[in-house]
Amino acid sequence: MPSRRNRRLVVVGLPSLALGLVLAGGWAAHLGLSVRDQLEATRAALLRLRPGDIGAARSAAATLAEARAHAAEARRLTGGAYWALLTHLPVVGDGAATARGLAASVADVTDVLTRVERAAAPLLSASAKVPGDLRRALAALDVMAPVLRDGASAWRPRRRASRAPRPRPGWRPWTRHATPCFARRPGCAPS
């Protein structure tokens, strides 16, 4: 009897396990292709922002809104728990982590571009292009300055607390030159 039970477990269990692995792999492929499609749509929308490529029917704001929507969708797709699990798998983990970082970066860039476009709208209007209207152009630049500063600060490299250098035992960083502190030297406490 135990051999029949074991055989039944093997006959039912192995195909169920294989089916589960195939479904998980299929879902991972579906997510990967969806992220790729969203990032390519974002790229196509951003390429349409080139001077002369924007048609009369589409404004720069509408094109940026489309790019931002695709980038946000790519970030949403790579932000779930399943994608986090994919980043830890041995074969596809590096690619999944790269795609997640790329989606987050593209979403940040489109957000900054949207804010810059909104702030630059007064400069791009017909009334701001009049050469004698310098006050209006300077006021618009004054409004744009915080947006540009925020966009630039978003791209400064940040040091995480976990990567902060840790002091080595026996070193006194508060001195002019970090010198080793030995217990025999006066004023040094053993560490």
Side-chain angles (χ1 to χ4, degrees), residues 94-187:
D94 291 338
T98 301
R100 173 184 270 179
L102 182 65
S105 296
V106 168
D108 289 343
V109 166
T110 54
D111 288 344
V112 169
L113 284 175
T114 302
R115 292 191 335 225
V116 167
E117 191 276 331
R118 283 184 197 146
L123 288 176
L124 300 175
S125 67
S127 63
K129 292 182 182 177
V130 176
D133 196 11
L134 239 64
R135 288 186 185 157
R136 181 177 283 171
L138 289 175
L141 279 175
D142 195 29
V143 169
M144 275 184 12
V147 174
L148 294 173
R149 188 175 30 246
D150 291 344
S153 67
W155 291 102
R156 285 188 196 140
R158 294 185 185 123
R159 178 172 239 164
R160 294 188 307 197
S162 63
R163 290 189 178 181
R166 301 194 191 284
R168 294 188 299 186
W171 285 83
R172 295 179 296 169
W174 60 84
T175 61
R176 184 168 179 199
H177 301 287
T179 57
C181 177
F182 300 105
R184 295 181 190 156
R185 186 178 291 171

